[in-house]
Amino acid sequence: VSLTENQFASVTLQTLCMAVECYISQKSSFFSDTITEKAIELLGASMDGSPTLSSTASPELFFAQGGCMTSLACGISFPGAATLLSLAINARFKVSHAVVTAILFPYIIEDAAGFKKERIAKIARILGVASETTNDDAAVTALTENIRNRLARAKLPTRLKDLSVSIEQLALAAEDAGNLELINSMPRSMTSDDLFDLIKQAY
């Protein structure tokens, strides 16, 4: 409740991105999926409200509940590249890891569509940005556009270059990230070069 509107938007998108990464992780299970789906629903309610959840709860309460469930999901499954890179970039350059994760989020969705399209489409339906009859390709596109629109509405940076960090500096962070244990738990097999490719797309 002490966060500014801008901070609340970035932290919410960061938490939602972590939930998505857990959902598409190679380490996901029926148990983690059940928790993550509920976390995504609660986080969606914190941003937009939800007809399926109690309307008396505040956005902050929905976010706190969704955040706790996302943390639990991360303990069972694993987050992915956006989380890994945001931690490495924050460690080197003291840039907000919530903002970095939010910027990378649409690119994580687009990347995941290549190997977990059905799961990304299901997330779009849970969040209500696509209907049950929407085909998977259209659902993925709708989710990507929804996240980009949220970034714009919250007046958050949409490119990594807006953070006053050079591409050469970000290359060092990608190298750092590639040396961390978490690189072995990515939703798909990745190297430092793959992480840097993701940075270049978002730069």
Side-chain angles (χ1 to χ4, degrees):
V1 295
S2 64
L3 297 177
T4 65
E5 190 174 331
N6 183 276
Q7 289 170 328
F8 185 71
S10 65
V11 172
T12 303
L13 287 171
Q14 176 194 29
T15 309
L16 181 59
C17 182
M18 292 176 72
V20 170
E21 289 181 327
C22 287
Y23 197 57
I24 61 174
S25 172
Q26 296 181 55
K27 303 289 186 180
S28 67
S29 63
F30 174 79
F31 183 45
S32 68
D33 286 352
T34 302
I35 294 169
T36 308
E37 287 176 11
K38 191 63 178 179
I40 291 167
E41 183 183 2
L42 288 163
L43 293 169
S46 79
M47 295 186 290
D48 302 321
S50 171
T52 62
L53 296 170
S54 170
S55 60
T56 59
S58 67
E60 292 83 7
L61 181 57
F62 279 134
F63 171 72
Q65 293 171 341
C68 285
M69 295 195 80
T70 299
S71 295
L72 181 57
C74 287
I76 303 167
S77 181
F78 282 94
T83 300
L84 178 60
L85 283 170
S86 70
L87 294 172
I89 292 168
N90 172 263
R92 264 196 184 263
F93 308 113
K94 309 308 177 192
V95 177
S96 165
H97 54 82
V99 173
V100 173
T101 305
I103 292 170
L104 291 171
F105 193 5
Y107 301 94
I108 292 298
I109 294 169
E110 289 174 339
D111 180 69
F115 61 95
K116 289 284 180 77
K117 185 189 296 181
E118 289 183 6
R119 292 210 150 210
I120 295 297
K122 186 169 184 179
I123 291 165
R125 296 182 184 108
I126 292 171
L127 289 171
V129 300
S131 69
E132 292 299 326
T133 57
T134 305
N135 68 52
D136 288 353
D137 287 325
V140 170
T141 300
L143 180 58
T144 308
E145 290 177 353
N146 181 269
I147 299 304
R148 290 198 165 112
N149 288 338
R150 289 185 189 281
L151 285 166
R153 286 200 305 271
K155 296 182 172 56
L156 291 169
T158 56
R159 311 291 296 191
L160 292 175
K161 64 183 177 184
D162 299 330
L163 303 178
S164 301
V165 182
S166 72
I167 193 72
E168 291 78 17
Q169 289 174 310
L170 292 173
L172 295 174
E175 196 171 313
D176 291 342
N179 290 322
L180 296 176
E181 182 70 23
L182 190 58
I183 192 71
N184 299 316
S185 303
M186 295 292 98
R188 67 176 176 87
S189 178
M190 298 186 85
T191 63
S192 295
D193 289 341
D194 295 321
L195 293 172
F196 187 52
D197 285 342
L198 187 63
I199 284 173
K200 287 188 288 187
Q201 290 176 45
Y203 195 78

